[in-house]
Amino acid sequence: MNFITSPTRYLFFTGKGGVGKTSLACAVAVNLADRGKRVLLVSTDPASNLDDVFGIRLLNTPKPVPGVAGLAAVNVDPEAAARAYRERVIGPYRGVLPKDAVRHMEEQLSGSCTVEIAAFDEFTGLLTNNAIAGEYDNIVFDTAPTGHTLRLLALPAAWSDFLNTNTNGSSCLGPLSGLNAQKERYEATVSALADARQTTFVMVARAEPSALAEADRSGSELAALGLKNQHLVVNGVFTPDQPGDVIADAMAARHRAAMLAIPDGIASLPRSVIPLVRHNLVGVDAIRNMLRDDDSADASSNLPSGLIEAVDLPPLADLIDEIEATGHGAVMTMGKGGVGKTTIAAAIAVELARRGLAVHLTTTDPAAHITAAINGTLPNLTVDRIDPVAETKAYRDGVLAASAKTLDAAGLSLLEEDLRSPCTEEVAVFRAFARVLNEARRRFVIIDTAPTGHTLLLLDATGSYHREMMRQMGKVHRAAGAPSNTDSNVSGITTPMMKLQDPSYTKIIIVTLPENTPVLEASRLQADLRRAEIQPYAWVINGSLSATHTTDPLLRARAAGERALIEEVRDRHAQRTFLVPWQAEPPVGSSSLLRLIGSPDMTRMKGEMNKPASLVRPSQV
């Protein structure tokens, strides 16, 4: 692991959600500190769980980690950063401009684009502020899942280009004078990231085709940004303690096959392999042991003999029965990266389509693995994705075409310049999301969302649109003589947020694993949704080893740790809870997805899998 023995100053950990980026970043930071280095560990993930790993409350300023001399940690809180950013932009105008004008500015800066750029501003400060960075030998970044990370890493160049070419004096983030003040910082960030002597990108994957494919894709995209100093870590590779257990043998065979089929783009990279551990990676001791050669703490020694008793919960097929009964509507799978949102969304869509219902399956996840999960075609099922690049281009072209009749050449030039802002993507993706959501009036729309942080940014854009629509329509009604209380209930207007808040229209399914961090993240997600007056319909606990009755000692140790978490979800968090066992056969393709569901009717599917795919269109929305 040369990125630890001879580390560069900056280490970025990235990869598909749920592959263990946070655990590995923490383990490396602890390892470096134990070797006498002064280390700063930074999370740029909107759904960060550094606090839970170390058991301390982290802030947006460095805080020492108890039990690890020389290690400090910091959470870049996107919401806090956005509040501070808004105040920097709006503060000088308070008491100067009319209150309505200030409120309008606040609304303009309430969207997810402001959150992202504010978090980016904090991120660049950590790389370029010598007053902070100069105190440390190494800075370790635990980043968001890959799609979000690539957006973040592309921002320095995007904003530098935008500032160099924009002559309009303003942007969707306020006056350009404020952004120009940061231009040198942005350029210094670009330089530091591209310098192989300063920065290493550690791409973390599991021994799974989708995770390795994601590492391959992100490696190529990082290289295209000039970020070529890369190292591959395959985490959680399982070797059975003893042969003969069906589940253990299947897991080991799956991992071996994935390791033999590592994509060519990353096969030549320096590589490290980390074995699966039997204990939860929470607390300094557990994190410190992660990189040791042996997992000597035999957690299975105190287990009862025989099988681990599973908690009795209904299968996914029962949830689909409830969804089918509504006849149409939207279903959104949400949760921490890597918990199986895509698989659960695909399984629900395939089963509804098998039952003869019209289904549109789509994704807002930048990683977009939905087509691979289906791995085939099926009548009644349309599969596609919301492509940010395609949507942004279509939005820009549409705005320019619509404005060509009313603007002169100079006006069109200014408009085109403003549409080159990175914030335009937020608007374009939101429009596509709202369009797809609207389809649920007449058929089932299954939406596989991005990992938690990215999804919350999307929902924030939905909320901003909702508030602006209600305010503007309220003005129209007041001008017509309507009472002021119509502002929040304008007749005839249904915004996307209203659809998300209506359980008869949209069912939010929270997907989690029976592990500490995913359950904690899911509970936080539910709290955030409830603050937005969105009530989750059900929780799905995916990949349960206790439901498989494995006899392998290491897997039994992990299965034994599941029970308390499953009961916590059932008793404290979820209105409805459904359990999906870990699958010996990878849940890829319609037949495998039906087995995951627990559907008894397999004969009909076998014939349908060979029918023409005239209704399947894997394309952009």
Side-chain angles (χ1 to χ4, degrees), residues 155-440:
L155 276 173
W159 280 104
S160 291
D161 291 345
F162 182 66
L163 294 173
N164 286 332
T165 58
N166 188 296
T167 60
N168 190 23
S170 65
S171 78
C172 55
L173 294 171
L176 278 184
S177 57
L179 291 175
N180 272 310
Q182 311 301 326
K183 186 171 180 291
E184 290 185 5
R185 236 171 67 179
Y186 296 174
E187 291 174 343
T189 299
V190 174
S191 176
L193 292 174
D195 186 352
R197 296 167 299 179
Q198 295 190 66
T199 305
T200 302
F201 289 87
V202 182
M203 292 180 297
V204 187
R206 293 277 187 179
E208 300 167 357
S210 63
L212 290 165
E214 176 74 1
D216 184 52
R217 184 185 71 84
S218 61
S220 298
E221 294 192 26
L222 289 169
L225 293 171
L227 315 175
K228 299 179 180 180
N229 188 22
Q230 302 173 8
H231 187 106
L232 175 66
V233 174
V234 186
N235 187 31
V237 178
F238 174 64
T239 302
D241 287 352
Q242 56 192 37
D245 178 69
V246 173
I247 298 300
D249 290 347
M251 185 180 293
R254 192 185 300 181
H255 287 187
R256 282 195 302 271
M259 294 297 291
L260 290 172
I262 291 179
D264 293 340
I266 55 175
S268 60
L269 290 177
R271 184 192 311 168
S272 304
V273 177
I274 297 177
L276 183 69
V277 297
R278 66 183 74 237
H279 54 273
N280 285 315
L281 292 169
V282 177
V284 170
D285 290 341
I287 288 295
R288 185 173 270 127
N289 289 333
M290 182 181 179
L291 299 182
R292 292 183 177 174
D293 291 335
D294 66 317
D295 183 21
S296 57
D298 186 2
S300 64
S301 59
N302 296 321
L303 292 177
S305 59
L307 301 176
I308 303 298
E309 184 182 355
V311 179
D312 186 22
L313 288 172
L316 194 60
D318 288 15
L319 171 60
I320 298 173
D321 289 343
E322 296 180 22
I323 293 171
E324 181 189 14
T326 63
H328 67 89
V331 177
M332 292 180 68
T333 56
M334 302 180 68
K336 181 179 170 62
V339 297
K341 295 182 304 297
T342 299
T343 298
I344 298 303
I348 293 171
V350 164
E351 175 65 2
L352 289 172
R354 187 193 68 79
R355 297 181 185 187
L357 301 162
V359 182
H360 179 187
L361 173 63
T362 191
T363 182
T364 64
D365 191 338
H369 298 292
I370 201 78
T371 306
I374 297 295
N375 193 32
T377 62
L378 188 67
N380 306 316
L381 180 62
T382 300
V383 182
D384 58 27
R385 76 185 185 101
I386 296 175
D387 183 343
V389 175
E391 289 299 333
T392 302
K393 182 181 184 302
Y395 175 72
R396 286 173 178 156
D397 292 347
V399 171
L400 290 171
S403 304
K405 299 176 182 178
T406 57
L407 294 178
D408 58 19
L412 279 174
S413 177
L414 288 174
L415 176 60
E416 186 173 10
E417 188 175 81
D418 195 51
L419 288 172
R420 289 200 303 271
S421 158
C423 296
T424 302
E425 183 179 306
E426 173 200 344
V427 178
V429 172
F430 167 69
R431 289 172 70 251
F433 171 74
R435 189 166 65 243
V436 169
L437 196 61
N438 196 47
E439 292 181 23

Side-chain angles (χ1 to χ4, degrees), residues 493-509:
I493 295 295
T494 303
T495 66
M497 182 59 82
M498 289 178 177
K499 292 185 175 78
L500 295 177
Q501 292 169 334
D502 181 359
S504 66
Y505 192 96
T506 303
K507 289 178 171 56
I508 304 293
I509 310 298

Side-chain angles (χ1 to χ4, degrees), residues 1-7 31-32 35:
M1 301 182 74
N2 64 317
F3 68 93
I4 300 177
T5 57
S6 301
N31 181 283
L32 291 173
R35 291 168 48 211

